[in-house]
Amino acid sequence: MELKVLGSGSATPQLERSPAGSVLTVDNFLILIDCGEGTQFRMLRHKVKISRLRYILISHLHGDHFFGLIGLLSTINMQKRTEPLTVFGPKGLDEIITLQLKHSGSAIGFPLFFRTVDTDSPEILFEDEVIKIRTFPLMHRIPCVGFRISKKVSKRKILSEKLPSNFPVPYYNLLKNGHDVVDALSGKTYLNSEFTTEGQPEKIFSYCSDTIFDERIIPFVENSDLLYHEATFSQEMAERAYMTHHSTASQAAIIASKAHVKRLILSHFSSRYKSLDHILEEARAVFQNSFLAEEGQSLNF
Ligand SMILES: [Zn+2]
């Protein structure tokens, strides 16, 4: 999987940092997570192919996390998309977007689905052979959820150079799924252990947009390969973080450390900080493998 950061600022507009938006690449499709104002322009700038979007996840309805959605959907509509697109978000999002489309005379010409997430209890939003998307409640000033997106263990990898060139196609699937194959004609047995290797292990990405420091989220983000966690403030503003239901850098790092994640990416920085050196230093004092989100940056895991 790959995460591309499109914005790392918090609510107040900043020239140096854009509002929330991240794109997760899973195989050949994209998941957009949060969509602050102007997200579609940053998708263009950083060469994110809008046509490959399959899901949009909105964590909560503060403007810096979804004010870019109507613009993006209008653009997608102009691109004559035919593929379905599903938007997951809190109660009210469907109503807001539908009203905007109605009064702007925009008829959506592609299959657009809205699915309301439960902001009170964890749930599985979506699952297929490749991915699983789960939500968990975050404590913020309005209903808000975090996401845990896992790419499942892939099927076994076939060592095709070891197989005869006329090896029947249906046998490939049997090998991929971990079975031994007995060739009906020759009677020869192809042992799975000899002709395949392990597939890709499971990969986990967790996303905590806006939240007060809350250790109850630890089980939901546990063992993530990459954890995205807000760090609006540094620790000397802990009181302010508490009052506004946000987190500090060291609080984000405590979550990362206790959840045994591999890497932490900090984001949603307050406009009061021109330099973020102290934010990074503060997080690394607790959890060494911490990084600052930066627009345009890509992280593979
Ligand atoms: Zn918020």
Side-chain angles (χ1 to χ4, degrees):
M1 292 204 279
E2 182 199 78
L3 182 79
K4 195 183 264 280
V5 177
L6 298 175
S8 62
S10 58
T12 312
Q14 308 174 43
L15 287 173
E16 310 78 20
R17 295 173 209 126
S18 302
S22 300
V23 174
L24 188 69
T25 304
V26 185
D27 286 348
N28 58 350
F29 65 89
L30 307 177
I31 301 173
L32 174 65
I33 311 168
D34 280 340
C35 187
E37 207 174 327
T39 292
Q40 60 170 327
F41 297 99
R42 290 180 289 284
M43 293 175 87
L44 272 180
R45 186 182 302 143
H46 300 294
K47 300 182 172 47
V48 176
K49 279 207 162 173
I50 290 177
S51 57
R52 287 169 62 205
L53 265 184
R54 195 178 288 177
Y55 308 110
I56 298 177
L57 312 178
I58 301 294
S59 64
H60 67 302
L61 296 184
H62 278 152
D64 55 327
H65 292 259
F66 90 104
F67 278 176
L69 187 56
I70 184 65
L72 175 63
L73 292 176
S74 303
T75 301
I76 293 173
N77 201 35
M78 286 191 278
Q79 292 176 338
K80 309 286 176 220
R81 182 185 173 109
T82 53
E83 297 288 301
L85 177 70
T86 307
V87 180
F88 297 92
K91 186 169 175 280
L93 182 63
D94 183 358
E95 191 186 337
I96 294 167
I97 298 294
T98 304
L99 198 67
Q100 286 177 307
L101 290 170
K102 181 184 160 196
H103 290 289
S104 62
S106 313
I108 289 289
F110 64 95
L112 174 65
F113 302 104
F114 283 93
R115 156 88 151 78
T116 300
V117 303
D118 184 343
T119 48
D120 296 322
S121 321
E123 63 171 334
I124 296 173
L125 271 193
F126 177 82
E127 181 168 15
D128 66 8
E129 273 200 329
V130 181
I131 58 163
K132 188 179 200 174
I133 306 175
R134 279 180 275 192
T135 63
F136 48 92
L138 294 176
M139 266 243 297
H140 193 42
R141 302 193 304 276
I142 59 172
C144 184
V145 292
F147 301 103
R148 179 186 175 98
I149 303 169
S150 46
K151 184 175 177 231
K152 297 179 180 178
V153 179
S154 67
K155 290 182 175 177
R156 295 187 68 80
K157 228 177 125 201
I158 293 180
L159 303 166
S160 43
E161 68 281 2
K162 286 189 162 185
L163 291 168
S165 55
N166 59 349
F167 194 68
V169 175
Y171 290 174
Y172 276 98
N173 279 335
L174 287 170
L175 284 176
K176 272 188 186 173
N177 288 321
H179 303 290
D180 296 331
V181 170
V182 181
D183 183 21
L185 281 179
S186 64
K188 181 175 161 56
T189 300
Y190 293 90
L191 289 176
N192 201 278
S193 55
E194 205 179 317
F195 294 94
T196 69
T197 54
E198 289 273 319
Q200 290 279 333
E202 184 187 32
K203 295 286 175 183
I204 302 164
F205 171 64
S206 296
Y207 180 90
C208 301
S209 57
D210 288 12
T211 179
I212 200 167
F213 175 60
D214 181 4
E215 296 200 351
R216 286 174 302 178
I217 69 172
I218 290 169
F220 299 111
V221 303
E222 204 150 39
N223 299 322
S224 298
D225 293 275
L226 181 63
L227 168 65
Y228 173 112
H229 196 291
E230 73 127 294
T232 309
F233 300 106
S234 61
Q235 194 56 28
E236 84 260 7
M237 300 285 291
E239 183 66 28
R240 174 114 183 107
Y242 180 77
M243 298 298 287
T244 56
H245 286 62
H246 281 297
S247 299
T248 68
S250 60
Q251 289 170 341
I254 291 169
I255 299 287
S257 170
K258 290 193 173 179
H260 309 291
V261 308
K262 292 205 178 83
R263 211 168 4 157
L264 168 67
I265 181 160
L266 305 160
S267 193
H268 202 265
F269 308 117
S270 163
S271 59
R272 76 191 65 231
Y273 303 126
K274 297 302 162 218
S275 160
L276 296 170
D277 293 349
H278 66 299
I279 294 265
L280 183 60
E281 212 172 286
E282 183 183 305
R284 284 192 172 166
V286 179
F287 184 76
Q288 181 55 35
N289 215 7
S290 302
F291 298 87
L292 299 171
E294 234 176 89
E295 184 188 320
Q297 152 197 53
S298 293
L299 294 155
N300 287 288
F301 54 101

